[in-house]
Short mmCIF file of all heavy atoms in Angstrom, two decimals:
data_model
loop_
_atom_site.label_atom_id
_atom_site.label_comp_id
_atom_site.label_asym_id
_atom_site.label_seq_id
_atom_site.Cartn_x
_atom_site.Cartn_y
_atom_site.Cartn_z
N ASN A 1 0.79 -1.23 0.00
CA ASN A 1 0.00 0.00 0.00
C ASN A 1 0.82 1.28 0.00
O ASN A 1 0.25 2.35 -0.06
CB ASN A 1 -0.92 0.03 1.24
CG ASN A 1 -1.95 -1.05 1.19
OD1 ASN A 1 -2.40 -1.43 0.11
ND2 ASN A 1 -2.33 -1.57 2.34
N ALA A 2 2.11 1.20 0.08
CA ALA A 2 2.94 2.39 0.29
C ALA A 2 2.73 3.46 -0.77
O ALA A 2 2.58 4.63 -0.46
CB ALA A 2 4.41 2.01 0.36
N GLY A 3 2.67 3.09 -2.03
CA GLY A 3 2.53 4.08 -3.08
C GLY A 3 1.17 4.74 -3.11
O GLY A 3 1.04 5.90 -3.46
N ASP A 4 0.13 4.01 -2.74
CA ASP A 4 -1.23 4.54 -2.81
C ASP A 4 -1.64 5.32 -1.56
O ASP A 4 -2.35 6.29 -1.64
CB ASP A 4 -2.24 3.40 -3.01
CG ASP A 4 -2.03 2.69 -4.33
OD1 ASP A 4 -1.56 3.35 -5.28
OD2 ASP A 4 -2.33 1.49 -4.41
N VAL A 5 -1.20 4.87 -0.42
CA VAL A 5 -1.67 5.45 0.83
C VAL A 5 -0.94 6.73 1.19
O VAL A 5 -1.54 7.68 1.64
CB VAL A 5 -1.56 4.42 1.97
CG1 VAL A 5 -1.91 5.05 3.30
CG2 VAL A 5 -2.46 3.24 1.69
N CYS A 6 0.35 6.78 0.99
CA CYS A 6 1.13 7.91 1.49
C CYS A 6 0.64 9.28 1.05
O CYS A 6 0.54 10.16 1.89
CB CYS A 6 2.61 7.72 1.17
SG CYS A 6 3.38 6.48 2.23
N PRO A 7 0.31 9.53 -0.21
CA PRO A 7 -0.19 10.87 -0.56
C PRO A 7 -1.47 11.23 0.19
O PRO A 7 -1.65 12.37 0.62
CB PRO A 7 -0.44 10.78 -2.07
CG PRO A 7 0.46 9.70 -2.53
CD PRO A 7 0.51 8.71 -1.40
N ASN A 8 -2.36 10.27 0.36
CA ASN A 8 -3.59 10.53 1.10
C ASN A 8 -3.31 10.78 2.57
O ASN A 8 -3.96 11.60 3.21
CB ASN A 8 -4.56 9.37 0.96
CG ASN A 8 -5.08 9.24 -0.45
OD1 ASN A 8 -5.15 10.21 -1.19
ND2 ASN A 8 -5.43 8.04 -0.84
N VAL A 9 -2.34 10.07 3.11
CA VAL A 9 -2.00 10.26 4.52
C VAL A 9 -1.42 11.65 4.74
O VAL A 9 -1.74 12.31 5.73
CB VAL A 9 -1.02 9.16 5.00
CG1 VAL A 9 -0.47 9.48 6.38
CG2 VAL A 9 -1.70 7.82 5.00
N VAL A 10 -0.59 12.11 3.82
CA VAL A 10 -0.02 13.46 3.95
C VAL A 10 -1.13 14.50 3.98
O VAL A 10 -1.14 15.38 4.83
CB VAL A 10 0.96 13.75 2.79
CG1 VAL A 10 1.38 15.21 2.78
CG2 VAL A 10 2.18 12.85 2.89
N THR A 11 -2.09 14.38 3.10
CA THR A 11 -3.21 15.32 3.06
C THR A 11 -4.03 15.24 4.34
O THR A 11 -4.38 16.26 4.93
CB THR A 11 -4.11 15.02 1.85
OG1 THR A 11 -3.32 15.10 0.67
CG2 THR A 11 -5.27 15.97 1.77
N GLU A 12 -4.32 14.02 4.76
CA GLU A 12 -5.14 13.82 5.95
C GLU A 12 -4.45 14.36 7.20
O GLU A 12 -5.05 15.06 8.00
CB GLU A 12 -5.44 12.33 6.11
CG GLU A 12 -6.33 12.00 7.26
CD GLU A 12 -7.75 12.47 7.08
OE1 GLU A 12 -8.20 12.62 5.93
OE2 GLU A 12 -8.42 12.70 8.09
N VAL A 13 -3.19 14.03 7.37
CA VAL A 13 -2.46 14.47 8.57
C VAL A 13 -2.27 15.98 8.54
O VAL A 13 -2.41 16.65 9.57
CB VAL A 13 -1.12 13.73 8.71
CG1 VAL A 13 -0.27 14.32 9.82
CG2 VAL A 13 -1.35 12.26 8.97
N GLY A 14 -1.97 16.53 7.38
CA GLY A 14 -1.84 17.98 7.28
C GLY A 14 -3.12 18.69 7.69
O GLY A 14 -3.09 19.68 8.42
N GLY A 15 -4.24 18.16 7.25
CA GLY A 15 -5.53 18.72 7.64
C GLY A 15 -5.78 18.57 9.12
O GLY A 15 -6.26 19.49 9.79
N LEU A 16 -5.45 17.42 9.63
CA LEU A 16 -5.64 17.16 11.05
C LEU A 16 -4.86 18.15 11.91
O LEU A 16 -5.32 18.60 12.94
CB LEU A 16 -5.20 15.72 11.36
CG LEU A 16 -5.45 15.16 12.74
CD1 LEU A 16 -6.94 15.10 13.03
CD2 LEU A 16 -4.84 13.78 12.86
N PHE A 17 -3.69 18.52 11.44
CA PHE A 17 -2.82 19.40 12.22
C PHE A 17 -3.11 20.89 12.02
O PHE A 17 -2.83 21.67 12.92
CB PHE A 17 -1.36 19.12 11.86
CG PHE A 17 -0.76 17.99 12.63
CD1 PHE A 17 -1.21 16.71 12.46
CD2 PHE A 17 0.26 18.22 13.53
CE1 PHE A 17 -0.66 15.66 13.16
CE2 PHE A 17 0.81 17.18 14.25
CZ PHE A 17 0.34 15.89 14.06
N PHE A 18 -3.62 21.29 10.87
CA PHE A 18 -3.60 22.72 10.57
C PHE A 18 -4.91 23.36 10.13
O PHE A 18 -5.02 24.58 10.20
CB PHE A 18 -2.52 23.02 9.53
CG PHE A 18 -1.15 22.70 10.04
CD1 PHE A 18 -0.46 21.60 9.56
CD2 PHE A 18 -0.57 23.46 11.03
CE1 PHE A 18 0.79 21.29 10.05
CE2 PHE A 18 0.69 23.16 11.52
CZ PHE A 18 1.37 22.07 11.03
N ILE A 19 -5.88 22.64 9.65
CA ILE A 19 -7.09 23.33 9.21
C ILE A 19 -8.10 23.42 10.36
O ILE A 19 -8.08 22.60 11.27
CB ILE A 19 -7.72 22.67 7.96
CG1 ILE A 19 -8.23 21.27 8.24
CG2 ILE A 19 -6.78 22.68 6.79
CD1 ILE A 19 -9.01 20.66 7.09
N PRO A 20 -8.99 24.40 10.32
CA PRO A 20 -9.99 24.54 11.38
C PRO A 20 -10.91 23.31 11.46
O PRO A 20 -11.14 22.63 10.46
CB PRO A 20 -10.79 25.77 10.96
CG PRO A 20 -9.92 26.51 10.02
CD PRO A 20 -9.06 25.48 9.34
N THR A 21 -11.44 23.08 12.62
CA THR A 21 -12.24 21.88 12.88
C THR A 21 -13.44 21.78 11.95
O THR A 21 -13.73 20.71 11.42
CB THR A 21 -12.69 21.85 14.35
OG1 THR A 21 -11.53 21.88 15.18
CG2 THR A 21 -13.50 20.62 14.66
N PHE A 22 -14.15 22.87 11.73
CA PHE A 22 -15.35 22.80 10.90
C PHE A 22 -15.02 22.41 9.46
O PHE A 22 -15.77 21.69 8.81
CB PHE A 22 -16.18 24.09 10.97
CG PHE A 22 -15.56 25.26 10.28
CD1 PHE A 22 -15.91 25.57 8.98
CD2 PHE A 22 -14.65 26.08 10.94
CE1 PHE A 22 -15.35 26.67 8.33
CE2 PHE A 22 -14.08 27.17 10.30
CZ PHE A 22 -14.43 27.46 9.00
N ILE A 23 -13.88 22.86 8.95
CA ILE A 23 -13.46 22.47 7.60
C ILE A 23 -13.02 21.01 7.59
O ILE A 23 -13.34 20.25 6.68
CB ILE A 23 -12.33 23.39 7.09
CG1 ILE A 23 -12.86 24.82 6.94
CG2 ILE A 23 -11.77 22.88 5.76
CD1 ILE A 23 -11.79 25.84 6.61
N TYR A 24 -12.28 20.62 8.62
CA TYR A 24 -11.82 19.24 8.72
C TYR A 24 -13.00 18.28 8.78
O TYR A 24 -13.00 17.24 8.12
CB TYR A 24 -10.91 19.07 9.94
CG TYR A 24 -10.31 17.70 10.04
CD1 TYR A 24 -9.32 17.29 9.16
CD2 TYR A 24 -10.75 16.80 10.99
CE1 TYR A 24 -8.78 16.02 9.24
CE2 TYR A 24 -10.22 15.53 11.08
CZ TYR A 24 -9.23 15.15 10.20
OH TYR A 24 -8.69 13.90 10.28
N LYS A 25 -14.01 18.64 9.55
CA LYS A 25 -15.19 17.79 9.67
C LYS A 25 -15.87 17.61 8.31
O LYS A 25 -16.25 16.49 7.95
CB LYS A 25 -16.17 18.38 10.68
CG LYS A 25 -17.36 17.51 10.94
CD LYS A 25 -18.25 18.08 12.03
CE LYS A 25 -19.43 17.17 12.30
NZ LYS A 25 -20.27 17.69 13.37
N SER A 26 -16.00 18.67 7.55
CA SER A 26 -16.63 18.55 6.24
C SER A 26 -15.75 17.75 5.27
O SER A 26 -16.26 17.05 4.41
CB SER A 26 -16.97 19.92 5.66
OG SER A 26 -15.80 20.64 5.39
N SER A 27 -14.43 17.82 5.44
CA SER A 27 -13.55 17.04 4.57
C SER A 27 -13.65 15.54 4.85
O SER A 27 -13.37 14.71 3.99
CB SER A 27 -12.10 17.51 4.70
OG SER A 27 -11.53 17.07 5.91
N LEU A 28 -14.05 15.18 6.06
CA LEU A 28 -14.21 13.76 6.40
C LEU A 28 -15.43 13.14 5.73
O LEU A 28 -15.51 11.92 5.59
CB LEU A 28 -14.33 13.60 7.92
CG LEU A 28 -13.08 13.90 8.73
CD1 LEU A 28 -13.38 13.79 10.22
CD2 LEU A 28 -11.93 12.98 8.35
N GLN A 29 -16.36 13.94 5.29
CA GLN A 29 -17.58 13.42 4.68
C GLN A 29 -17.31 12.66 3.38
O GLN A 29 -18.06 11.78 3.02
CB GLN A 29 -18.57 14.55 4.43
CG GLN A 29 -19.14 15.11 5.71
CD GLN A 29 -20.06 16.29 5.46
OE1 GLN A 29 -20.17 16.79 4.36
NE2 GLN A 29 -20.71 16.74 6.52
N LYS A 30 -16.21 12.97 2.71
CA LYS A 30 -15.91 12.29 1.45
C LYS A 30 -15.62 10.81 1.66
O LYS A 30 -15.70 10.02 0.72
CB LYS A 30 -14.75 12.97 0.73
CG LYS A 30 -13.42 12.87 1.44
CD LYS A 30 -12.34 13.62 0.71
CE LYS A 30 -11.09 13.69 1.56
NZ LYS A 30 -10.11 14.60 1.00
N TYR A 31 -15.30 10.42 2.90
CA TYR A 31 -15.01 9.01 3.19
C TYR A 31 -16.26 8.22 3.54
O TYR A 31 -16.20 7.00 3.65
CB TYR A 31 -13.99 8.91 4.33
CG TYR A 31 -12.67 9.56 4.00
CD1 TYR A 31 -12.25 10.69 4.68
CD2 TYR A 31 -11.85 9.03 3.03
CE1 TYR A 31 -11.04 11.29 4.38
CE2 TYR A 31 -10.64 9.62 2.72
CZ TYR A 31 -10.23 10.75 3.39
OH TYR A 31 -9.04 11.34 3.10
N ASP A 32 -17.37 8.88 3.74
CA ASP A 32 -18.63 8.23 4.11
C ASP A 32 -18.44 7.29 5.31
O ASP A 32 -18.90 6.15 5.32
CB ASP A 32 -19.21 7.47 2.91
CG ASP A 32 -20.67 7.14 3.11
OD1 ASP A 32 -21.35 7.88 3.85
OD2 ASP A 32 -21.13 6.13 2.54
N ALA A 33 -17.71 7.80 6.30
CA ALA A 33 -17.41 7.01 7.50
C ALA A 33 -18.58 7.04 8.47
O ALA A 33 -19.38 7.98 8.46
CB ALA A 33 -16.17 7.58 8.18
#
């Protein structure tokens, strides 16, 4: 999974660390979790 997961992880972790909570919450909706 290294080639496929890493770019998504960078985006996800960056968001987790730096974007406001309300934006982060809406970005999680794309995963239909």
Side-chain angles (χ1 to χ4, degrees):
N1 294 328
D4 296 331
V5 174
C6 285
N8 293 333
V9 170
V10 171
T11 302
E12 183 69 26
V13 171
L16 187 63
F17 275 66
F18 297 108
I19 65 173
T21 302
F22 71 95
I23 295 172
Y24 185 71
K25 185 175 181 178
S26 66
S27 75
L28 292 176
Q29 291 176 352
K30 66 183 171 190
Y31 299 113
D32 197 27

